[in-house]
Amino acid sequence: MKLRTLFAASLAAIAMSASAQTHLEGAEYYKADQLDNAKELLLRNLNNAGTDKAIANYYLGLIAIDENKLDEAQKYFEAGVQANPNYGYNYIGLGGMALKKGDKKAAEEQFKKGESLIKKDAGAEIAIARAYYDADPVLYAKEIEKRVAKARKINLQAPEIYIFEGDQEKDKKNWGGAAGKYEMAKSYNANATEAYVKYANLYTQVNPQYAVAMLKELLSVNPTSALGQRELANAYYNKKDFADAAREYGVYVQNPNHFKQDEDRYALLLFSSSEFQKGYDYATKLLAENPGNFTARRFQFMNAANIPAMKDQLVPMAEELLAAHNANPAANKFAPIDFTLIAEEFTNAKRTEEAMAVLNEAIKEMPDNANFNKQLAMTYLEANNFAGASDAYEGYLAKLEQPDFNDYSQQATFSFYAGVENKQDNPAKADSYFQKAYDYATKMEAALPGNYKPYKIYGDIALQRAATDAEVKTAAFPMYSEAAILLEKSENPSRYARDAKNIYNYLGNYYLDQKDVAKAKENFNKYLQYDPDNADYRKFVEGLKE
């Protein structure tokens, strides 16, 4: 029986049982140029019932040649010969290894032995052509041409011919020519899985929809192909269609020939496509199978953090995840989201010291990530520590390429209240924070001229620095007066009602002290525009006599 007939029969057998794990999937991955994946599957399934060890060792030998491990390749080919001395491809493999060593004569002897066992098979001739091509496509150009011509004579429609020619065109960066050859291969043999995959890979980045269509066609022919399922999922991923990618990965990870590392990709896609309950359930299943699966633990927590019903379980989960990380930080690495979510849960639980410790580690591990500094500042704020918030936010600003008005405003606010909280116990420290607030207010003014807020901050600082009650009554007047003018010019003054009330109340009292009741009432009435339901305040204003 010809080798291609044997392959066809084997493919039919695997199609009958999705759980059959043999050499076939590994061979598919090899033909699709995914050598690491091919090697993993071939080794994983080497001793399984139904695995043809002669075939498995042949592909393992080819992979070893590609890795330039010629001694290892020889061991695989010899093991293949021992498993079945009548399987001619292992002799072709030994010939390819001899070519790599520069022994053409020995190679040709092995090729002849292989041909004698396979008997007029186009695939064997292409395997020999590939051996020459991989050794030196220029030196052995004539031998390659001769073998391809012989393959055509044996069977013009053999898909191996066109896949090889497609690979040659791809090496020349003739993408259109390569695609045409791969399409011919699949048209001659619908079961030539590698033809679909190689065709799709030409387009997966530049035209992913084209790749998707080709891989769907493959799966319509061979629906149990783990390679096809995986490539289709990846094509959707490259297309940034994460929901469809997650769906296809969900099919693929049920295939017994899936790769463990792809479970992580599936978990990520479920999270990215906001399928939080499904992602949580899947991660929980992986953890039940392997409690030490750190990635599964990460995604279990990440998904749970987005499921309201799990709110009460988040802190224990955060503790477990952090403990697993701390037990082996080098192996159990965190991504930014892990630090962020764990710190959030500790903060929500009023465990701000622990949250700060997590964020400080994050800053140490990922010093370029400004968001950790910002989150640390907000955690200090949660603990009513404005000095800590100001210092942490300073680190955030230092990492921004160009801070904006709101960034400066936030820091001016933090620094101002840091001054207030230190005013009684450490006046010098307080004054340094007031100065920082003033400096950031000037940056606000430069970033957004005509905004009232910097002048409000100038006035607030002046009030805090006033030494006596008498000074308090006048210290903020120039700055608040300017703030009031700019506030009235803003598009939507009502957005700033709190500041407006503080400004107008202060100005009203200033004019009242100056015995200018008319001006005082004018400002008090402006206050009432922002607080019209304040009956006591209105009664007070109406009672003023000019």
Side-chain angles (χ1 to χ4, degrees), residues 48-336:
N48 288 359
T51 288
D52 188 321
K53 290 190 177 182
I55 298 175
N57 278 292
Y58 168 64
Y59 284 107
L60 287 167
L62 293 179
I63 293 167
I65 289 178
D66 185 79
E67 295 172 340
N68 202 32
K69 298 176 180 176
L70 299 186
D71 291 342
E72 185 177 306
Q74 183 162 343
K75 290 178 183 177
Y76 280 126
F77 293 135
E78 288 176 349
V81 170
Q82 186 176 3
N84 181 3
N86 294 317
Y87 180 72
Y89 276 83
N90 279 303
Y91 301 103
I92 294 174
L94 287 166
M97 190 189 66
L99 281 178
K100 284 283 190 178
K101 291 181 176 181
D103 192 342
K104 184 183 179 187
K105 183 179 178 182
E108 289 177 341
E109 289 175 0
Q110 295 290 354
F111 293 154
K112 193 175 293 185
K113 190 180 293 186
E115 283 183 287
S116 71
L117 292 168
I118 299 171
K119 306 278 190 190
K120 291 187 177 181
D121 187 274
E125 299 302 327
I126 294 301
I128 295 171
R130 282 188 181 277
Y132 281 117
Y133 185 81
D134 292 341
D136 192 325
V138 176
L139 179 63
Y140 298 121
K142 289 184 179 179
E143 287 83 353
I144 295 167
E145 184 179 350
K146 176 184 172 182
R147 293 294 176 172
V148 173
K150 194 172 179 180
R152 276 196 164 83
K153 190 173 180 181
I154 294 169
N155 180 6
L156 187 60
Q157 296 185 358
E160 295 91 343
I161 298 170
Y162 304 101
I163 291 169
F164 176 52
E165 291 179 337
D167 291 347
Q168 290 176 297
E169 294 301 320
K170 185 174 69 173
D171 289 344
K172 297 173 189 174
K173 302 191 185 316
N174 180 6
W175 315 123
K181 293 292 185 179
Y182 296 147
E183 189 153 18
M184 288 178 68
K186 77 177 183 63
S187 70
Y188 287 135
N189 184 349
N191 288 315
T193 299
E194 68 272 26
Y196 297 90
V197 173
K198 290 188 174 196
Y199 186 101
N201 284 342
L202 291 173
Y203 292 98
T204 189
Q205 296 294 338
V206 295
N207 190 345
Q209 189 56 48
Y210 217 43
V212 165
M214 183 59 62
L215 293 164
K216 282 184 174 180
E217 184 180 341
L218 162 61
L219 290 173
S220 71
V221 176
N222 185 2
T224 63
S225 168
L227 172 61
Q229 293 166 352
R230 185 175 190 264
E231 290 300 305
L232 178 58
N234 283 334
Y236 277 121
Y237 184 83
N238 290 330
K239 191 170 172 278
K240 301 191 186 307
D241 186 346
F242 299 129
D244 282 337
R247 185 192 66 241
E248 295 303 327
Y249 261 104
V251 174
Y252 161 67
V253 295
Q254 301 305 315
N255 192 308
N257 281 306
H258 77 271
F259 298 105
K260 282 292 182 182
Q261 64 266 28
D262 289 325
E263 294 175 353
D264 297 348
R265 169 70 66 88
Y266 180 45
L268 171 62
L269 284 167
L270 288 173
F271 180 77
S272 300
S273 54
S274 300
E275 293 196 53
F276 301 125
Q277 186 63 56
K278 194 171 182 179
Y280 172 82
D281 293 341
Y282 183 67
T284 302
K285 169 182 169 292
L286 295 180
L287 271 177
E289 295 169 357
N290 177 15
N293 187 331
F294 180 70
T295 300
R297 190 168 296 283
R298 288 182 60 233
F299 281 107
Q300 185 193 53
F301 175 62
M302 286 160 57
N303 283 289
N306 288 277
I307 301 172
M310 302 204 68
K311 180 180 178 182
D312 294 338
Q313 300 177 49
L314 293 179
V315 171
M317 291 174 70
E319 291 171 335
E320 289 179 353
L321 181 58
L322 183 61
H325 165 72
N326 289 339
N328 192 347
N332 297 338
K333 289 184 177 295
F334 274 168

Side-chain angles (χ1 to χ4, degrees), residues 361-397:
E361 181 190 350
I363 292 167
K364 183 179 178 181
E365 288 295 314
M366 304 173 190
D368 294 333
N369 190 324
N371 289 325
F372 292 137
N373 296 81
K374 186 175 184 178
Q375 188 178 0
L376 180 61
M378 298 307 171
T379 306
Y380 273 111
L381 185 64
E382 185 72 21
N384 293 315
N385 184 339
F386 286 98
S390 175
D391 295 345
Y393 207 80
E394 192 72 24
Y396 168 70
L397 292 174

Side-chain angles (χ1 to χ4, degrees), residues 459-489:
D460 293 343
I461 295 169
L463 289 176
Q464 291 296 324
R465 282 175 161 169
T468 65
D469 290 344
E471 287 182 18
V472 167
K473 292 180 179 180
T474 61
F477 177 74
M479 293 75 95
Y480 277 7
S481 295
E482 184 64 23
I485 293 169
L486 295 174
L487 181 63
E488 290 174 5
K489 291 179 180 179

